[in-house]
Amino acid sequence: MLYRTKILNESEVNRTLASAVGATLIKRNTPDKHCYELLGYGSSLGGFAAEELDYEVDASDHQRLTLSNARTGYTYKEYRAGQSYGWHSDEVVSSDGLRLDVSTTLFLNNPDEYDGGELDLRFGDFCVSVKLPAGYAVIYPTGLLHRVQPVKSGIRKVIHWWDQSNIQNPFIRDSVIALDASGNEKTDLYISQLERFC
């Protein structure tokens, strides 16, 4: 139910970041959420950046790991020093009625470029802390309780989106993915990391 996959190489990460330069980031300050956001990443650029990102996502293992039949738009976020997002779960239906089964967070800068900012995903009493290299994404069931720890220094840069899967139930979806991955060393399941308590 928790996967890591590479979506972008270094030059693709740089192009993705360049597409957000000069865009108007909206500061989000709510009781739990403190960050800068660009909703509809790529739409202010005529959709080209979003189309390019769509292509890279589709060319990666993302489709195989989500069994997606529809995807939301992208949201670009920056977390600067002192910013965080408290424990929360995402909506499971979008405003236009799309069922949101799978959440994806794509990391756009390397872990050594910012201190803190880990994505914590809670599985009952256990928690997995995720901080991946640029170009890698973590894929997890929508509705899972999660947070972004405070950034202590630097800037954490990510893009989020949600997919509607052909298989809504995450346990059945995971079984189908596991059957499809038999003998495939590229699948990276985070089973062993369900050891860290938050």
Side-chain angles (χ1 to χ4, degrees), residues 19-24 38-50:
S19 297
V21 171
T24 303
L38 173 61
L39 298 175
Y41 163 85
S43 59
S44 61
L45 305 163
F48 174 73

Side-chain angles (χ1 to χ4, degrees), residues 20 23 45 70-72 74 108 112 120 122 132 142 147 149 158-159 170 178 184 192:
L45 305 163
R71 180 181 304 140
T72 66
Y74 300 106
L108 295 176
D112 61 356
D120 289 337
R122 185 178 287 283
L132 299 177
T142 302
R147 72 175 176 187
Q149 292 188 30
V158 297
I159 288 182
N184 185 346
S192 64

Side-chain angles (χ1 to χ4, degrees), residues 8-160:
L8 303 176
N9 64 33
E10 186 178 347
S11 66
E12 292 159 351
V13 167
N14 291 334
R15 277 199 312 273
T16 302
L17 285 169
S19 297
V21 171
T24 303
L25 296 177
I26 300 168
K27 190 172 185 180
R28 299 288 185 197
N29 273 330
T30 64
D32 295 328
K33 183 179 184 180
H34 307 281
C35 65
Y36 289 89
E37 254 179 5
L38 173 61
L39 298 175
Y41 163 85
S43 59
S44 61
L45 305 163
F48 174 73
E51 287 175 13
E52 190 171 297
L53 187 53
D54 270 337
Y55 175 81
E56 299 303 337
V57 170
D58 290 342
S60 73
D61 279 342
H62 187 270
Q63 174 65 28
R64 185 178 62 79
L65 298 173
T66 62
L67 305 175
S68 176
N69 61 36
R71 180 181 304 140
T72 66
Y74 300 106
T75 300
Y76 173 85
K77 289 186 181 175
E78 289 185 359
Y79 292 81
R80 300 173 187 180
Q83 294 184 325
S84 63
Y85 199 162
W87 287 110
H88 67 285
S89 60
D90 297 333
E91 297 292 326
V92 294
V93 178
S94 69
S95 58
D96 59 355
L98 185 68
R99 196 183 68 236
L100 307 177
D101 301 318
V102 184
S103 300
T104 301
T105 300
L106 172 61
F107 291 78
L108 295 176
N109 55 340
N110 288 312
D112 61 356
E113 295 177 40
Y114 59 99
D115 188 26
E118 292 85 357
L119 173 64
D120 289 337
L121 302 161
R122 185 178 287 283
F123 292 85
D125 289 341
F126 295 93
C127 182
V128 176
S129 290
V130 181
K131 192 172 179 182
L132 299 177
Y136 282 81
V138 61
I139 301 167
Y140 52 97
T142 302
L144 191 67
L145 198 62
H146 60 288
R147 72 175 176 187
V148 175
Q149 292 188 30
V151 170
K152 298 172 187 170
S153 64
I155 302 175
R156 176 187 190 262
K157 300 174 184 179
V158 297
I159 288 182
H160 299 289

